[in-house]
Amino acid sequence: MAISFFAERGLFHLTNGKFSYYVQIHPSGILLNPYFGAYIEDIDPEQMGRIGGEDWFSHYYCHTDGREKEYEGLYFNASPMLFPSAGGADVRPSAMEIRGARNNKLDMRYVSHRIYRGKPKLSGLPYVRDDAGEAETLEIVLREHVKDIKAVLSLSVLPEYNAVIRNTEFINKTGKPLRLERAMSVVQDLSRADLDIVHFPGEWMFERQFRREALSEGRKVISASAGRSSHEHNPFVMLADRDATETFGEVYAASFLYSGSFKCEANVSKVGVTRLTMGIDDEHFSFAVADGESFTFPEGLTVYSNRGFEGISHQMHDLIRRNLIKDNAPAAYRSVLLNSWEGCYMDFDTEKVLALIASGKRMGVELFVLDDGWFGRRNDDLRSLGDWHVNEKKIDLKKIIDACHENGMRFGIWIEPEMANFDSDLLRAHPEYAAVDISSDPWLSRHQVMLDFADPEVVDEIYGQLEALLSQYDIDYVKWDHNRTLEDYYSAYLGEGRQDEFYHRNTLGYYRLADMLTTRFPDIHFQGCASGGGRFDLGTLFYFPEIWTSDENDPVQRLFIQYGTSFAYPPCVMGSHINDDPVTCYRTKAEIALFGSYGFELDPRRMSDADIGEVNAVTEIYGKFHDDVVLDGDLFRLSSPYDGREFAIDMVDKQKSKALLLVVGLLKKPRTRRFVKLRGLNPWANYVNSFDGKVYSGDYYMKVGINLSDVRREFDSRLITLEEVE
Ligand code: DGJ
């Protein structure tokens, strides 16, 4: 891996030997990005920069000191720009925008660069970790052509990934305050317009649905604008060859490490070029940057694959597992979990909880999580958010925790730190902590308001309460929820004129609290959650190694949700539980839930012995395969649930010595011969399969497949294990 600089040509080559990313310093000082794709030893920027035909204005002129200067190979609305800024000649979506200077123009030009080992570690924001010191970074300083505004752009490469990690620091040295109006963490120009966009829209209980559509001239916008990355969209998109498949074709993915409102634009110009940008949602964003101060953009990421979508997913999965999540409590992380929510909602007392724990033992539960309803005076969702002390009239928490330990289980608890009810001791004492303007008759959602996490005092107050709780009790696991969107906000702390900073500062407050608590309690496993999967993003995963995927536990719906989620995120970070929805049998529910962080969301006392027997048979497979195969292995999407008839995936451990194959019939099938071909096995190894007990080579399983013609009934499933034999 290397970042090279060819000084005489003003050309940088970022590569890991498998992909190439070229940056060119145009003679004007403007930075171009002529190539991003499969590895290529050298490029000819002069040839690549030509835009044919006599009908083009073939040059742009720079009016400096009244003189006109001619530049070759620079076409502002067609050349691939690395750092396009607003107000200049390029009218496509920009990397950043300002207000408050004499004019809004930002014409950023190269000043200097350095190449160093390592990569930026952001303060107060999540970042891709480089604990092994393997990264290399190209840091370029840019300066506005005439204003004293600087940007430090860092592009980092890690040897394992065909990815460029992008950091930007905006620095105001103009002598006066400025407002930053736009801060895009990803800017990726591609000199082509024949691309599909793949994105993941959804809704509560319907998160991250796979959508693929052709881009054409104009702008496709994907955004979330209510303070969290949202159910409606996800900050992960792909641009793909029109004929790209799971295993074939070029695909570019973009994401950024952020959990607040975001905006992604795919802009196709009439001249046959595409620009992809992703960053903080600029529609509710305006940030004061005083003279001498700087603003750090969230970290962005672009990933390349010439092996279709699977190539992107494998890189994202490995990057998340190796370079993003802090697996700080592996035992709790890998435990079979029982959560109280769907079993009893807030209607519980000590006896009922003890009964749940005892019955969970019949199903091999290793971790019991007490969900919403244990604190303040909370028996419904009208009160007590903000009062993080045990409701001793309702439960004896110590007795519950002791019962878990006596039954060989760990104990976890639910919190929602960023929210409060008006009916809480917290807001009675400090009404100004609520992020609403009470004089404006604010709209509530789920009877609650968010706290003003832009205010460090509010974050400190909640930290104090939670620190006391987690120190007092023996708690192994925390589920961190977030149950309303953040529209209709007002921050008393920010006051008039700075309300547009709220969303971003609130997100920084979330990260600060998450950082303080996960640092103070390194042995507690945190699960993120936001009304199900409303905050499923790389920013949250930096702090919490697992996220609740969805409140939808219907296993068939889950196939679609987990399928969409899997394009960016590995199964190990997806909370995935079995409930008592009667859509399928328990065996099928368990087989689907197994492909995630596995557990139960039900009252086991309502299950028959036969149901428990079905689940336990699957949990046994979990015990044997879950760690190496599901949590650490590679995922292969063999068929899509959107095809309607059948869903199939396999997962293979990194040593290629064992695998799991899941096939779920959807619509009833006619009599058909159906072979399911696996991927990812060692072609030269022999594996015994649990379906018919036969031994075949990896080559055979991948070329001929397993004959599953008899999986024909609706929602019938097969979970098949493969183990290497001599
Ligand atoms: C929303 C979560 O997604 C549920 O699992 C549950 O924790 C409820 N909130 C509790 O209020």
mmCIF file of all heavy atoms in Angstrom, residues 2-45:
data_model
loop_
_atom_site.group_PDB
_atom_site.id
_atom_site.type_symbol
_atom_site.label_atom_id
_atom_site.label_comp_id
_atom_site.label_asym_id
_atom_site.label_seq_id
_atom_site.Cartn_x
_atom_site.Cartn_y
_atom_site.Cartn_z
ATOM 1 N N ALA A 2 0.416 2.243 -0.712
ATOM 2 C CA ALA A 2 1.244 3.444 -0.737
ATOM 3 C C ALA A 2 0.436 4.628 -1.225
ATOM 4 O O ALA A 2 -0.535 4.477 -1.955
ATOM 5 C CB ALA A 2 2.425 3.220 -1.659
ATOM 6 N N ILE A 3 0.893 5.783 -0.804
ATOM 7 C CA ILE A 3 0.416 7.012 -1.439
ATOM 8 C C ILE A 3 1.660 7.614 -2.088
ATOM 9 O O ILE A 3 2.655 7.883 -1.416
ATOM 10 C CB ILE A 3 -0.191 7.979 -0.405
ATOM 11 C CG1 ILE A 3 -1.419 7.323 0.261
ATOM 12 C CG2 ILE A 3 -0.561 9.291 -1.071
ATOM 13 C CD1 ILE A 3 -2.083 8.155 1.338
ATOM 14 N N SER A 4 1.622 7.765 -3.412
ATOM 15 C CA SER A 4 2.790 8.302 -4.105
ATOM 16 C C SER A 4 2.464 9.677 -4.648
ATOM 17 O O SER A 4 1.305 9.964 -4.971
ATOM 18 C CB SER A 4 3.208 7.434 -5.282
ATOM 19 O OG SER A 4 2.814 6.127 -5.098
ATOM 20 N N PHE A 5 3.514 10.472 -4.791
ATOM 21 C CA PHE A 5 3.358 11.809 -5.363
ATOM 22 C C PHE A 5 4.341 11.955 -6.514
ATOM 23 O O PHE A 5 5.550 11.783 -6.337
ATOM 24 C CB PHE A 5 3.641 12.868 -4.296
ATOM 25 C CG PHE A 5 3.478 14.280 -4.813
ATOM 26 C CD1 PHE A 5 2.336 14.657 -5.523
ATOM 27 C CD2 PHE A 5 4.463 15.233 -4.595
ATOM 28 C CE1 PHE A 5 2.181 15.956 -6.000
ATOM 29 C CE2 PHE A 5 4.316 16.538 -5.064
ATOM 30 C CZ PHE A 5 3.172 16.901 -5.768
ATOM 31 N N PHE A 6 3.807 12.230 -7.697
ATOM 32 C CA PHE A 6 4.649 12.476 -8.868
ATOM 33 C C PHE A 6 4.708 13.992 -9.032
ATOM 34 O O PHE A 6 3.830 14.602 -9.658
ATOM 35 C CB PHE A 6 4.060 11.797 -10.108
ATOM 36 C CG PHE A 6 3.773 10.339 -9.877
ATOM 37 C CD1 PHE A 6 2.488 9.885 -9.621
ATOM 38 C CD2 PHE A 6 4.815 9.416 -9.875
ATOM 39 C CE1 PHE A 6 2.227 8.549 -9.375
ATOM 40 C CE2 PHE A 6 4.568 8.063 -9.640
ATOM 41 C CZ PHE A 6 3.273 7.632 -9.384
ATOM 42 N N ALA A 7 5.749 14.577 -8.414
ATOM 43 C CA ALA A 7 5.778 16.036 -8.242
ATOM 44 C C ALA A 7 5.721 16.778 -9.576
ATOM 45 O O ALA A 7 4.978 17.753 -9.728
ATOM 46 C CB ALA A 7 7.033 16.428 -7.470
ATOM 47 N N GLU A 8 6.473 16.276 -10.545
ATOM 48 C CA GLU A 8 6.543 17.014 -11.824
ATOM 49 C C GLU A 8 5.196 17.035 -12.536
ATOM 50 O O GLU A 8 4.907 17.922 -13.335
ATOM 51 C CB GLU A 8 7.659 16.460 -12.715
ATOM 52 C CG GLU A 8 7.528 15.044 -13.229
ATOM 53 C CD GLU A 8 7.647 13.942 -12.163
ATOM 54 O OE1 GLU A 8 7.962 14.222 -10.967
ATOM 55 O OE2 GLU A 8 7.391 12.787 -12.522
ATOM 56 N N ARG A 9 4.323 16.054 -12.206
ATOM 57 C CA ARG A 9 3.002 16.004 -12.858
ATOM 58 C C ARG A 9 1.894 16.462 -11.910
ATOM 59 O O ARG A 9 0.724 16.467 -12.281
ATOM 60 C CB ARG A 9 2.711 14.574 -13.314
ATOM 61 C CG ARG A 9 3.739 14.076 -14.315
ATOM 62 C CD ARG A 9 3.711 12.564 -14.404
ATOM 63 N NE ARG A 9 2.494 12.087 -15.041
ATOM 64 C CZ ARG A 9 2.037 10.846 -14.944
ATOM 65 N NH1 ARG A 9 2.700 9.958 -14.230
ATOM 66 N NH2 ARG A 9 0.920 10.498 -15.539
ATOM 67 N N GLY A 10 2.268 16.813 -10.679
ATOM 68 C CA GLY A 10 1.264 17.244 -9.703
ATOM 69 C C GLY A 10 0.213 16.176 -9.474
ATOM 70 O O GLY A 10 -0.989 16.465 -9.338
ATOM 71 N N LEU A 11 0.640 14.919 -9.400
ATOM 72 C CA LEU A 11 -0.306 13.802 -9.371
ATOM 73 C C LEU A 11 -0.058 12.914 -8.146
ATOM 74 O O LEU A 11 1.072 12.509 -7.883
ATOM 75 C CB LEU A 11 -0.108 12.972 -10.650
ATOM 76 C CG LEU A 11 -1.204 11.979 -11.008
ATOM 77 C CD1 LEU A 11 -2.510 12.686 -11.320
ATOM 78 C CD2 LEU A 11 -0.770 11.147 -12.220
ATOM 79 N N PHE A 12 -1.123 12.626 -7.413
ATOM 80 C CA PHE A 12 -1.049 11.695 -6.282
ATOM 81 C C PHE A 12 -1.753 10.399 -6.676
ATOM 82 O O PHE A 12 -2.803 10.441 -7.318
ATOM 83 C CB PHE A 12 -1.790 12.247 -5.055
ATOM 84 C CG PHE A 12 -1.246 13.539 -4.530
ATOM 85 C CD1 PHE A 12 -1.824 14.746 -4.890
ATOM 86 C CD2 PHE A 12 -0.163 13.545 -3.656
ATOM 87 C CE1 PHE A 12 -1.342 15.937 -4.395
ATOM 88 C CE2 PHE A 12 0.326 14.737 -3.150
ATOM 89 C CZ PHE A 12 -0.263 15.949 -3.520
ATOM 90 N N HIS A 13 -1.193 9.278 -6.223
ATOM 91 C CA HIS A 13 -1.835 7.981 -6.435
ATOM 92 C C HIS A 13 -2.061 7.337 -5.075
ATOM 93 O O HIS A 13 -1.106 7.031 -4.358
ATOM 94 C CB HIS A 13 -0.939 7.097 -7.310
ATOM 95 C CG HIS A 13 -1.543 5.767 -7.638
ATOM 96 N ND1 HIS A 13 -0.822 4.730 -8.170
ATOM 97 C CD2 HIS A 13 -2.813 5.300 -7.528
ATOM 98 C CE1 HIS A 13 -1.621 3.685 -8.352
ATOM 99 N NE2 HIS A 13 -2.838 4.011 -7.978
ATOM 100 N N LEU A 14 -3.304 7.152 -4.704
ATOM 101 C CA LEU A 14 -3.651 6.460 -3.454
ATOM 102 C C LEU A 14 -4.082 5.050 -3.836
ATOM 103 O O LEU A 14 -4.989 4.887 -4.660
ATOM 104 C CB LEU A 14 -4.803 7.163 -2.730
ATOM 105 C CG LEU A 14 -4.513 8.508 -2.057
ATOM 106 C CD1 LEU A 14 -4.382 9.621 -3.069
ATOM 107 C CD2 LEU A 14 -5.607 8.851 -1.053
ATOM 108 N N THR A 15 -3.461 4.061 -3.225
ATOM 109 C CA THR A 15 -3.788 2.683 -3.604
ATOM 110 C C THR A 15 -3.459 1.707 -2.485
ATOM 111 O O THR A 15 -2.639 2.013 -1.618
ATOM 112 C CB THR A 15 -3.023 2.273 -4.882
ATOM 113 O OG1 THR A 15 -3.390 0.943 -5.241
ATOM 114 C CG2 THR A 15 -1.513 2.342 -4.690
ATOM 115 N N ASN A 16 -4.099 0.557 -2.537
ATOM 116 C CA ASN A 16 -3.688 -0.569 -1.674
ATOM 117 C C ASN A 16 -3.255 -1.729 -2.562
ATOM 118 O O ASN A 16 -3.194 -2.865 -2.123
ATOM 119 C CB ASN A 16 -4.845 -1.007 -0.762
ATOM 120 C CG ASN A 16 -6.021 -1.527 -1.572
ATOM 121 O OD1 ASN A 16 -6.035 -1.453 -2.797
ATOM 122 N ND2 ASN A 16 -7.019 -2.059 -0.894
ATOM 123 N N GLY A 17 -3.031 -1.436 -3.840
ATOM 124 C CA GLY A 17 -2.655 -2.482 -4.791
ATOM 125 C C GLY A 17 -3.853 -3.112 -5.480
ATOM 126 O O GLY A 17 -3.708 -3.845 -6.441
ATOM 127 N N LYS A 18 -5.066 -2.793 -4.989
ATOM 128 C CA LYS A 18 -6.261 -3.368 -5.615
ATOM 129 C C LYS A 18 -7.155 -2.290 -6.238
ATOM 130 O O LYS A 18 -7.912 -2.539 -7.149
ATOM 131 C CB LYS A 18 -7.058 -4.166 -4.577
ATOM 132 C CG LYS A 18 -6.389 -5.482 -4.220
ATOM 133 C CD LYS A 18 -7.160 -6.250 -3.182
ATOM 134 C CE LYS A 18 -6.800 -5.749 -1.819
ATOM 135 N NZ LYS A 18 -7.448 -6.308 -0.691
ATOM 136 N N PHE A 19 -7.092 -1.101 -5.677
ATOM 137 C CA PHE A 19 -7.856 -0.011 -6.288
ATOM 138 C C PHE A 19 -6.930 1.200 -6.406
ATOM 139 O O PHE A 19 -5.877 1.260 -5.765
ATOM 140 C CB PHE A 19 -9.093 0.338 -5.453
ATOM 141 C CG PHE A 19 -8.804 1.309 -4.329
ATOM 142 C CD1 PHE A 19 -9.209 2.639 -4.402
ATOM 143 C CD2 PHE A 19 -8.088 0.901 -3.213
ATOM 144 C CE1 PHE A 19 -8.931 3.533 -3.387
ATOM 145 C CE2 PHE A 19 -7.807 1.791 -2.191
ATOM 146 C CZ PHE A 19 -8.231 3.110 -2.271
ATOM 147 N N SER A 20 -7.336 2.151 -7.240
ATOM 148 C CA SER A 20 -6.555 3.375 -7.409
ATOM 149 C C SER A 20 -7.467 4.582 -7.279
ATOM 150 O O SER A 20 -8.625 4.562 -7.745
ATOM 151 C CB SER A 20 -5.912 3.423 -8.801
ATOM 152 O OG SER A 20 -4.915 2.451 -8.917
ATOM 153 N N TYR A 21 -6.914 5.609 -6.662
ATOM 154 C CA TYR A 21 -7.636 6.878 -6.501
ATOM 155 C C TYR A 21 -6.600 7.956 -6.817
ATOM 156 O O TYR A 21 -5.607 8.091 -6.110
ATOM 157 C CB TYR A 21 -8.111 6.974 -5.055
ATOM 158 C CG TYR A 21 -9.049 8.109 -4.717
ATOM 159 C CD1 TYR A 21 -10.424 7.929 -4.766
ATOM 160 C CD2 TYR A 21 -8.563 9.349 -4.297
ATOM 161 C CE1 TYR A 21 -11.293 8.946 -4.409
ATOM 162 C CE2 TYR A 21 -9.429 10.366 -3.938
ATOM 163 C CZ TYR A 21 -10.795 10.155 -3.994
ATOM 164 O OH TYR A 21 -11.655 11.160 -3.635
ATOM 165 N N TYR A 22 -6.803 8.655 -7.919
ATOM 166 C CA TYR A 22 -5.824 9.660 -8.340
ATOM 167 C C TYR A 22 -6.329 11.062 -8.032
ATOM 168 O O TYR A 22 -7.506 11.374 -8.260
ATOM 169 C CB TYR A 22 -5.549 9.546 -9.838
ATOM 170 C CG TYR A 22 -4.602 8.415 -10.184
ATOM 171 C CD1 TYR A 22 -5.088 7.139 -10.488
ATOM 172 C CD2 TYR A 22 -3.222 8.622 -10.196
ATOM 173 C CE1 TYR A 22 -4.218 6.109 -10.801
ATOM 174 C CE2 TYR A 22 -2.342 7.583 -10.508
ATOM 175 C CZ TYR A 22 -2.847 6.337 -10.813
ATOM 176 O OH TYR A 22 -1.983 5.316 -11.117
ATOM 177 N N VAL A 23 -5.419 11.878 -7.528
ATOM 178 C CA VAL A 23 -5.710 13.294 -7.269
ATOM 179 C C VAL A 23 -4.707 14.108 -8.071
ATOM 180 O O VAL A 23 -3.506 13.824 -8.034
ATOM 181 C CB VAL A 23 -5.564 13.607 -5.758
ATOM 182 C CG1 VAL A 23 -5.676 15.108 -5.511
ATOM 183 C CG2 VAL A 23 -6.613 12.852 -4.945
ATOM 184 N N GLN A 24 -5.219 15.102 -8.787
ATOM 185 C CA GLN A 24 -4.342 15.913 -9.628
ATOM 186 C C GLN A 24 -4.410 17.362 -9.181
ATOM 187 O O GLN A 24 -5.504 17.903 -8.975
ATOM 188 C CB GLN A 24 -4.806 15.792 -11.090
ATOM 189 C CG GLN A 24 -3.956 16.562 -12.059
ATOM 190 C CD GLN A 24 -4.675 16.781 -13.395
ATOM 191 O OE1 GLN A 24 -5.776 16.281 -13.607
ATOM 192 N NE2 GLN A 24 -4.051 17.550 -14.263
ATOM 193 N N ILE A 25 -3.236 17.982 -9.045
ATOM 194 C CA ILE A 25 -3.227 19.431 -8.788
ATOM 195 C C ILE A 25 -3.212 20.104 -10.161
ATOM 196 O O ILE A 25 -2.203 20.073 -10.870
ATOM 197 C CB ILE A 25 -1.987 19.867 -7.986
ATOM 198 C CG1 ILE A 25 -1.783 18.982 -6.751
ATOM 199 C CG2 ILE A 25 -2.096 21.335 -7.598
ATOM 200 C CD1 ILE A 25 -0.428 19.183 -6.078
ATOM 201 N N HIS A 26 -4.343 20.648 -10.528
ATOM 202 C CA HIS A 26 -4.405 21.348 -11.808
ATOM 203 C C HIS A 26 -3.514 22.595 -11.725
ATOM 204 O O HIS A 26 -3.340 23.159 -10.632
ATOM 205 C CB HIS A 26 -5.872 21.734 -12.093
ATOM 206 C CG HIS A 26 -6.062 22.378 -13.412
ATOM 207 N ND1 HIS A 26 -6.037 23.752 -13.574
ATOM 208 C CD2 HIS A 26 -6.251 21.842 -14.645
ATOM 209 C CE1 HIS A 26 -6.221 24.019 -14.863
ATOM 210 N NE2 HIS A 26 -6.360 22.891 -15.521
ATOM 211 N N PRO A 27 -2.932 23.041 -12.836
ATOM 212 C CA PRO A 27 -2.056 24.225 -12.775
ATOM 213 C C PRO A 27 -2.713 25.436 -12.110
ATOM 214 O O PRO A 27 -2.032 26.298 -11.540
ATOM 215 C CB PRO A 27 -1.741 24.505 -14.245
ATOM 216 C CG PRO A 27 -1.866 23.166 -14.903
ATOM 217 C CD PRO A 27 -2.920 22.410 -14.161
ATOM 218 N N SER A 28 -4.009 25.496 -12.116
ATOM 219 C CA SER A 28 -4.697 26.606 -11.438
ATOM 220 C C SER A 28 -4.656 26.446 -9.917
ATOM 221 O O SER A 28 -4.990 27.376 -9.188
ATOM 222 C CB SER A 28 -6.169 26.618 -11.865
ATOM 223 O OG SER A 28 -6.782 25.392 -11.464
ATOM 224 N N GLY A 29 -4.300 25.259 -9.441
ATOM 225 C CA GLY A 29 -4.350 24.978 -7.997
ATOM 226 C C GLY A 29 -5.619 24.258 -7.593
ATOM 227 O O GLY A 29 -5.757 23.795 -6.459
ATOM 228 N N ILE A 30 -6.577 24.169 -8.511
ATOM 229 C CA ILE A 30 -7.809 23.434 -8.213
ATOM 230 C C ILE A 30 -7.509 21.930 -8.219
ATOM 231 O O ILE A 30 -6.724 21.453 -9.054
ATOM 232 C CB ILE A 30 -8.910 23.830 -9.226
ATOM 233 C CG1 ILE A 30 -9.401 25.237 -8.844
ATOM 234 C CG2 ILE A 30 -10.056 22.827 -9.249
ATOM 235 C CD1 ILE A 30 -10.350 25.866 -9.791
ATOM 236 N N LEU A 31 -8.113 21.225 -7.262
ATOM 237 C CA LEU A 31 -7.819 19.791 -7.153
ATOM 238 C C LEU A 31 -8.828 18.979 -7.955
ATOM 239 O O LEU A 31 -10.043 19.158 -7.803
ATOM 240 C CB LEU A 31 -7.863 19.358 -5.684
ATOM 241 C CG LEU A 31 -6.729 19.917 -4.820
ATOM 242 C CD1 LEU A 31 -6.977 19.613 -3.348
ATOM 243 C CD2 LEU A 31 -5.381 19.351 -5.249
ATOM 244 N N LEU A 32 -8.309 18.099 -8.775
ATOM 245 C CA LEU A 32 -9.157 17.210 -9.567
ATOM 246 C C LEU A 32 -9.007 15.775 -9.063
ATOM 247 O O LEU A 32 -8.024 15.437 -8.391
ATOM 248 C CB LEU A 32 -8.771 17.286 -11.048
ATOM 249 C CG LEU A 32 -8.881 18.674 -11.690
ATOM 250 C CD1 LEU A 32 -8.366 18.639 -13.125
ATOM 251 C CD2 LEU A 32 -10.318 19.173 -11.670
ATOM 252 N N ASN A 33 -9.990 14.980 -9.405
ATOM 253 C CA ASN A 33 -10.004 13.568 -8.982
ATOM 254 C C ASN A 33 -10.284 12.728 -10.230
ATOM 255 O O ASN A 33 -11.359 12.184 -10.415
ATOM 256 C CB ASN A 33 -11.106 13.396 -7.920
ATOM 257 C CG ASN A 33 -11.282 11.990 -7.398
ATOM 258 O OD1 ASN A 33 -12.341 11.642 -6.907
ATOM 259 N ND2 ASN A 33 -10.266 11.159 -7.487
ATOM 260 N N PRO A 34 -9.254 12.637 -11.122
ATOM 261 C CA PRO A 34 -9.537 12.077 -12.449
ATOM 262 C C PRO A 34 -9.907 10.601 -12.466
ATOM 263 O O PRO A 34 -10.552 10.158 -13.411
ATOM 264 C CB PRO A 34 -8.234 12.306 -13.218
ATOM 265 C CG PRO A 34 -7.185 12.614 -12.203
ATOM 266 C CD PRO A 34 -7.888 13.139 -10.989
ATOM 267 N N TYR A 35 -9.533 9.840 -11.430
ATOM 268 C CA TYR A 35 -9.811 8.390 -11.506
ATOM 269 C C TYR A 35 -10.053 7.809 -10.131
ATOM 270 O O TYR A 35 -9.316 8.081 -9.182
ATOM 271 C CB TYR A 35 -8.627 7.661 -12.167
ATOM 272 C CG TYR A 35 -8.851 6.169 -12.308
ATOM 273 C CD1 TYR A 35 -9.569 5.658 -13.386
ATOM 274 C CD2 TYR A 35 -8.355 5.274 -11.363
ATOM 275 C CE1 TYR A 35 -9.791 4.285 -13.509
ATOM 276 C CE2 TYR A 35 -8.573 3.906 -11.475
ATOM 277 C CZ TYR A 35 -9.294 3.412 -12.549
ATOM 278 O OH TYR A 35 -9.516 2.059 -12.670
ATOM 279 N N PHE A 36 -11.086 6.968 -10.022
ATOM 280 C CA PHE A 36 -11.349 6.142 -8.840
ATOM 281 C C PHE A 36 -11.901 4.831 -9.380
ATOM 282 O O PHE A 36 -12.959 4.812 -10.014
ATOM 283 C CB PHE A 36 -12.373 6.840 -7.935
ATOM 284 C CG PHE A 36 -12.753 6.075 -6.676
ATOM 285 C CD1 PHE A 36 -11.895 5.169 -6.079
ATOM 286 C CD2 PHE A 36 -13.986 6.298 -6.069
ATOM 287 C CE1 PHE A 36 -12.242 4.484 -4.917
ATOM 288 C CE2 PHE A 36 -14.348 5.626 -4.899
ATOM 289 C CZ PHE A 36 -13.471 4.716 -4.329
ATOM 290 N N GLY A 37 -11.170 3.750 -9.187
ATOM 291 C CA GLY A 37 -11.628 2.478 -9.726
ATOM 292 C C GLY A 37 -10.623 1.391 -9.470
ATOM 293 O O GLY A 37 -9.804 1.477 -8.548
ATOM 294 N N ALA A 38 -10.676 0.355 -10.323
ATOM 295 C CA ALA A 38 -9.748 -0.778 -10.176
ATOM 296 C C ALA A 38 -8.317 -0.284 -10.310
ATOM 297 O O ALA A 38 -8.055 0.720 -10.995
ATOM 298 C CB ALA A 38 -10.061 -1.814 -11.245
ATOM 299 N N TYR A 39 -7.390 -1.013 -9.704
ATOM 300 C CA TYR A 39 -5.988 -0.577 -9.687
ATOM 301 C C TYR A 39 -5.464 -0.341 -11.096
ATOM 302 O O TYR A 39 -5.667 -1.146 -11.999
ATOM 303 C CB TYR A 39 -5.118 -1.656 -9.014
ATOM 304 C CG TYR A 39 -3.655 -1.296 -9.063
ATOM 305 C CD1 TYR A 39 -3.102 -0.393 -8.162
ATOM 306 C CD2 TYR A 39 -2.830 -1.839 -10.048
ATOM 307 C CE1 TYR A 39 -1.765 -0.040 -8.229
ATOM 308 C CE2 TYR A 39 -1.484 -1.489 -10.123
ATOM 309 C CZ TYR A 39 -0.961 -0.590 -9.208
ATOM 310 O OH TYR A 39 0.359 -0.229 -9.283
ATOM 311 N N ILE A 40 -4.807 0.795 -11.267
ATOM 312 C CA ILE A 40 -4.140 1.069 -12.531
ATOM 313 C C ILE A 40 -2.854 1.820 -12.217
ATOM 314 O O ILE A 40 -2.842 2.749 -11.400
ATOM 315 C CB ILE A 40 -5.065 1.820 -13.518
ATOM 316 C CG1 ILE A 40 -4.380 2.007 -14.848
ATOM 317 C CG2 ILE A 40 -5.569 3.141 -12.975
ATOM 318 C CD1 ILE A 40 -5.356 2.231 -15.992
ATOM 319 N N GLU A 41 -1.776 1.360 -12.850
ATOM 320 C CA GLU A 41 -0.456 1.826 -12.442
ATOM 321 C C GLU A 41 -0.249 3.300 -12.712
ATOM 322 O O GLU A 41 0.446 3.991 -11.965
ATOM 323 C CB GLU A 41 0.591 0.994 -13.169
ATOM 324 C CG GLU A 41 1.889 0.942 -12.415
ATOM 325 C CD GLU A 41 2.800 -0.102 -13.025
ATOM 326 O OE1 GLU A 41 2.365 -1.261 -13.151
ATOM 327 O OE2 GLU A 41 3.927 0.260 -13.384
ATOM 328 N N ASP A 42 -0.835 3.785 -13.788
ATOM 329 C CA ASP A 42 -0.630 5.199 -14.102
ATOM 330 C C ASP A 42 -1.837 5.674 -14.908
ATOM 331 O O ASP A 42 -2.559 4.867 -15.488
ATOM 332 C CB ASP A 42 0.653 5.367 -14.929
ATOM 333 C CG ASP A 42 1.133 6.810 -14.943
ATOM 334 O OD1 ASP A 42 0.524 7.656 -14.244
ATOM 335 O OD2 ASP A 42 2.107 7.097 -15.662
ATOM 336 N N ILE A 43 -2.035 6.965 -14.911
ATOM 337 C CA ILE A 43 -3.101 7.523 -15.761
ATOM 338 C C ILE A 43 -2.538 8.716 -16.536
ATOM 339 O O ILE A 43 -1.486 9.253 -16.179
ATOM 340 C CB ILE A 43 -4.328 7.985 -14.941
ATOM 341 C CG1 ILE A 43 -3.937 9.044 -13.895
ATOM 342 C CG2 ILE A 43 -5.046 6.812 -14.314
ATOM 343 C CD1 ILE A 43 -5.096 9.828 -13.357
ATOM 344 N N ASP A 44 -3.261 9.104 -17.551
ATOM 345 C CA ASP A 44 -2.862 10.268 -18.341
ATOM 346 C C ASP A 44 -3.925 11.355 -18.150
ATOM 347 O O ASP A 44 -4.935 11.384 -18.863
ATOM 348 C CB ASP A 44 -2.752 9.872 -19.817
ATOM 349 C CG ASP A 44 -2.372 11.054 -20.690
ATOM 350 O OD1 ASP A 44 -2.172 12.168 -20.138
ATOM 351 O OD2 ASP A 44 -2.289 10.870 -21.917
ATOM 352 N N PRO A 45 -3.729 12.228 -17.174
ATOM 353 C CA PRO A 45 -4.756 13.231 -16.874
ATOM 354 C C PRO A 45 -5.059 14.136 -18.061
ATOM 355 O O PRO A 45 -6.189 14.586 -18.226
ATOM 356 C CB PRO A 45 -4.157 14.038 -15.725
ATOM 357 C CG PRO A 45 -3.048 13.227 -15.185
ATOM 358 C CD PRO A 45 -2.566 12.358 -16.290
#
